[in-house]
């Protein structure tokens, strides 16, 4: 399956791989895109062009050129300028604190300009060097050189990684889950928030959404299949899945299915093949 928007996936430098997922470049030429909620804090960069975030009241807010985005528990509607080339890379669970000294809970639902986070002169130099590049591989190489300078990339184990490695137990009752990790219930809740920036309830919401998406986007899915998909992926029933899809994707699963079938470019992210999607976003190995 091909997406209606051109994108490329690049592996990160080995010294960055303990911190980051794969890097994605996307050509977004004068279009609108609806992005779902995401558990991942991410580094976002407009190598060329830019975008505006469209609010619920249809007002527009200019997106920063180079920024850190926290976990987002609501979908985002973005209008991109002609000739836009965007780069994005997600942090692995719990690694933002080490990489940048930032508590992920402090930036949930927010964005921070990179020149406010690291040496502003170094950021400016990087962006000036970037302006003269138009080859995607060269842009990604320069981007990675910059990240190697500014991020603490010493490898460490994290609670976040351990939590997602045990993803099959994620819907256990809180008492059973805390016993599995050998810590108290309040400590578990606190550690989840430290690593993901959101509550255990919200982690579960995003995981359910992620578990169900591969079934929703299959080309042969019928309306009658939605109830079974809901039951198989952690929802109480189809109404529960409908409600959470509206909250996290902006539209119910049946309507999302229609957008995907029509190859609507505004929903291109759902058309990324599984292999690439896993490299870019899936926090479970």
């Amino acid at each position: 399956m091909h997406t209606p928007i051109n994108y490329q996936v690049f592996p990160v430098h080995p010294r960055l791989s303990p911190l980051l997922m794969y890097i994605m470049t996307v050509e977004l030429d004068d279009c609108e895109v609806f992005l779902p909620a995401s558990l991942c804090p991410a580094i976002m960069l407009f190598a060329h062009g830019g975008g505006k975030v469209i609010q619920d009241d249809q007002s527009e807010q200019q997106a920063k050129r180079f920024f850190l985005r926290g976990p987002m528990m609501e979908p985002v509607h973005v209008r991109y300028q002609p000739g836009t080339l965007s780069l994005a890379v997600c942090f692995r669970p719990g690694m933002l604190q080490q990489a940048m000294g930032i508590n992920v809970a402090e930036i949930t639902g927010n964005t921070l300009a990179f020149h406010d986070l690291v040496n502003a002169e170094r950021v400016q130099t990087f962006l000036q060097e970037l302006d003269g590049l138009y080859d995607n591989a060269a842009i990604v190489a320069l981007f990675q050189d910059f990240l190697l300078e500014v991020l603490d990339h010493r490898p460490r184990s994290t609670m976040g990684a351990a939590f997602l490695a045990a993803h099959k137990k994620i819907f256990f009752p809180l008492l059973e889950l805390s016993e599995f990790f050998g810590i108290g219930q309040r400590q578990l809740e606190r550690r989840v928030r430290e690593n993901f920036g959101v509550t255990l309830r919200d982690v579960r919401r995003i995981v359910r959404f992620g578990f169900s998406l591969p079934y929703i986007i299959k080309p042969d899915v019928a309306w009658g299949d939605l109830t079974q998909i809901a039951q198989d992926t952690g929802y109480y029933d189809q109404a529960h899945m409908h409600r959470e899809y509206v909250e996290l994707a902006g539209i119910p699963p049946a309507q999302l299915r229609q957008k995907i079938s029509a190859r609507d470019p505004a929903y291109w992210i759902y058309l990324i093949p599984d292999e690439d999607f896993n490299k870019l976003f899936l926090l479970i190995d």
Side-chain angles (χ1 to χ4, degrees), residues 9-14 16-17 20-24 140 144 279:
V9 177
F10 296 85
V12 295
H13 189 284
L16 293 172
S17 61
L20 303 171
M21 306 292 284
Y22 278 58
I23 297 169
M24 175 172 60
V140 169
Q144 298 214 61
K279 291 175 181 178

Side-chain angles (χ1 to χ4, degrees), residues 64 66-68 111-118:
K64 303 173 180 71
F66 188 22
F67 60 95
L68 175 67
T111 62
L112 299 174
F114 236 80
H115 69 257
D116 292 330
L117 302 174
V118 299

Side-chain angles (χ1 to χ4, degrees), residues 99-137:
M100 302 191 69
I102 296 172
N103 185 328
V104 66
E106 296 176 357
I107 65 165
T108 299
N110 199 8
T111 62
L112 299 174
F114 236 80
H115 69 257
D116 292 330
L117 302 174
V118 299
N119 183 279
E121 291 184 3
R122 180 65 188 90
V123 173
Q124 186 61 32
T125 299
F126 163 66
L127 294 177
Q128 289 173 348
E129 293 172 344
L130 193 64
D131 287 339
L133 294 178
Y134 290 90
D135 176 75
N136 285 7

Side-chain angles (χ1 to χ4, degrees), residues 42-240:
I43 298 172
M44 314 289 291
L45 168 67
F46 290 114
H48 303 292
K52 293 183 178 180
V53 178
I54 303 174
Q55 311 294 337
D56 290 341
D57 62 2
Q58 297 305 303
S59 63
E60 298 183 353
Q61 179 181 358
Q62 184 66 47
K64 303 173 180 71
R65 181 179 182 188
F66 188 22
F67 60 95
L68 175 67
R69 185 200 65 187
M72 296 290 180
M73 296 310 298
E74 296 180 351
V76 180
H77 181 190
V78 187
R79 178 179 292 119
Y80 294 97
Q81 298 173 8
T84 292
L85 177 67
S86 173
L87 275 72
V89 61
C90 291
F91 280 94
R92 293 185 181 276
M95 299 311 296
L96 178 62
Q97 179 72 50
Q98 175 192 322
M100 302 191 69
I102 296 172
N103 185 328
V104 66
E106 296 176 357
I107 65 165
T108 299
N110 199 8
T111 62
L112 299 174
F114 236 80
H115 69 257
D116 292 330
L117 302 174
V118 299
N119 183 279
E121 291 184 3
R122 180 65 188 90
V123 173
Q124 186 61 32
T125 299
F126 163 66
L127 294 177
Q128 289 173 348
E129 293 172 344
L130 193 64
D131 287 339
L133 294 178
Y134 290 90
D135 176 75
N136 285 7
I139 290 171
V140 169
L142 183 66
F143 178 58
Q144 298 214 61
D145 287 344
F146 174 83
L147 295 181
L148 283 166
E149 286 186 38
V150 302
L151 301 184
D152 178 357
H153 45 74
R154 292 169 294 176
R156 300 176 189 174
S157 61
T158 71
M159 172 69 178
F163 188 81
L164 283 175
H167 63 280
K168 292 182 179 179
K169 301 176 176 63
I170 198 170
F171 299 113
F172 278 15
L174 181 58
L175 176 59
E176 291 184 38
L177 197 58
S178 64
E179 288 176 347
F180 174 79
F181 285 105
I183 58 179
Q185 296 178 49
R186 289 186 179 179
Q187 186 180 4
L188 175 63
E189 290 271 18
R190 185 172 63 251
R191 295 286 292 277
V192 167
R193 188 159 180 80
E194 288 173 354
N195 281 273
F196 297 104
V198 298
T199 64
L200 176 59
R201 174 182 177 274
D202 281 336
V203 170
R204 286 170 165 167
R205 289 172 65 215
I206 291 286
V207 170
R208 269 193 299 265
F209 177 63
F211 280 175
S212 63
L213 268 178
Y215 300 97
I216 293 294
I217 65 178
K218 286 182 178 178
D220 56 349
V221 170
W223 171 261
D225 298 326
L226 295 181
T227 297
Q228 189 63 50
I229 292 172
Q231 293 175 351
D232 291 344
T233 54
Y235 294 100
Y236 298 122
D237 51 30
Q238 188 174 335
H240 182 206

Side-chain angles (χ1 to χ4, degrees), residues 34-37 74-75 209 244-251 256 267 270:
F34 293 88
L35 301 173
E74 296 180 351
F209 177 63
E244 291 202 347
Y245 262 70
V246 171
E247 293 170 351
L248 300 175
I251 57 176
L256 179 60
Y267 293 86
Y270 299 98

